[in-house]
Amino acid sequence: MKKALIVWGGWDGHQPEQVAALFQQQLEEEGFQVNVQSSLEAFADAEYLKSLDLIVPVWTMGEIDQKLVDNVSLAVQSGVGLAGCHGGMCDSFRKNVDWQFMTGGQWVAHPGNDGVQYTVEINNSSSYLVDGISNFEVSTEQYYMHVDPAVEVLATTRFPIVDGPHVLNKAVDMPVAWTKRWGVGRVYYNSLGHQANIMEINEVKEMMRRGFLWCAEGKALAQSGEAAAGAYTGMQDNQL
């Protein structure tokens, strides 16, 4: 049985407890043993983290001890998956660039705030993770992100839609969902999820389900050696 850790907290406006409960249900339906914690001290036991298949952070706008980030990073480098959404993963710890490097991006703005109507455009040629999912409309925050150019983009949204100081720039297709690698671990992110109701949209729920499974499957591949060729070998150094 695969094992997952969900850690929720931070800013209450993102309904972290409710989102964590949805993710717990989703993972348990897929046969995971799920441990749900509401303290960042859940990241304190480095060996426990390495025993997991998947880590799911649901924590917005907090501060974190560097040692805890190092523990998560080393676990992911060893093959443990890391998957999350919205500010719960890519606006978790604004002061910690190591976390941002690992996750692949950082929120910087949501022009128009909540309730912006926009299209999520699926990059159907990018990955089987989005096979069969069509473009869809949402009314929620539209995340403008600073994104690692190494990520594989699965879906985008077009800016600008609402007015602001960014509108005189050329139109940009901002990543909404992506994957990347960290060591031999797999990382998945989806910028949707301002509140729990967004995570219950069929397309969003399916995208997260596939992301969770893809990330968790990476550990077995890493242990078998299939993912290790050319991988970073400094995992024991506690350095990023």
Side-chain angles (χ1 to χ4, degrees), residues 36-154:
V36 180
Q37 298 290 325
S38 59
S39 168
L40 292 175
E41 287 305 306
F43 296 147
D45 186 339
E47 292 308 309
Y48 168 69
L49 295 181
K50 290 179 183 178
S51 76
L52 299 168
D53 297 282
L54 179 66
I55 297 170
V56 182
V58 189
W59 199 290
T60 304
M61 291 191 294
E63 294 191 16
I64 190 170
D65 184 87
Q66 182 63 41
K67 178 62 177 175
L68 301 181
V69 175
D70 291 343
N71 288 348
V72 175
S73 176
L74 291 172
V76 178
Q77 290 176 49
S78 74
V80 179
L82 180 70
C85 72
H86 202 63
M89 186 162 121
C90 283
D91 191 23
S92 296
F93 312 113
R94 294 179 182 178
K95 295 181 180 180
N96 195 289
V97 294
D98 293 337
W99 182 270
Q100 295 164 22
F101 191 15
M102 174 174 62
T103 58
Q106 172 61 38
W107 169 86
V108 294
H110 41 57
N113 299 313
D114 196 12
V116 175
Q117 186 77 27
Y118 63 94
T119 302
V120 175
E121 299 186 11
I122 302 297
N123 183 1
N124 281 302
S125 65
S126 62
S127 169
Y128 72 90
L129 290 176
V130 290
D131 279 353
I133 300 176
S134 300
N135 297 349
F136 59 98
E137 298 288 318
V138 292
S139 179
T140 185
E141 290 181 341
Q142 186 185 32
Y143 260 22
Y144 200 102
M145 317 235 3
H146 287 174
V147 180
D148 183 346
V151 304
E152 180 177 1
V153 178
L154 307 179

Side-chain angles (χ1 to χ4, degrees), residues 8-21 58-60:
W8 67 269
W11 184 57
D12 286 339
H14 279 161
Q15 300 180 336
E17 185 173 11
Q18 295 94 319
V19 172
V58 189
W59 199 290
T60 304

Side-chain angles (χ1 to χ4, degrees), residues 148-228:
D148 183 346
V151 304
E152 180 177 1
V153 178
L154 307 179
T156 62
T157 183
R158 175 61 61 92
F159 279 87
I161 287 180
V162 301
D163 197 18
H166 62 303
V167 300
L168 293 183
N169 298 306
K170 66 179 181 180
V172 295
D173 292 316
M174 180 62 57
V176 170
W178 66 70
T179 60
K180 69 172 290 185
R181 305 302 177 101
W182 192 249
V184 294
R186 296 176 171 186
V187 178
Y188 175 86
Y189 175 72
N190 191 316
S191 72
L192 296 164
H194 176 57
Q195 293 187 326
N197 65 312
I198 300 299
M199 305 318 296
E200 297 189 273
I201 296 171
N202 288 336
E203 292 90 344
V204 183
K205 187 174 182 179
E206 179 62 13
M207 291 170 77
M208 292 305 304
R209 186 188 73 86
R210 295 184 191 184
F212 289 148
L213 294 178
W214 179 80
C215 286
E217 289 165 358
K219 184 175 183 180
L221 291 175
Q223 290 177 336
S224 72
E226 292 180 32

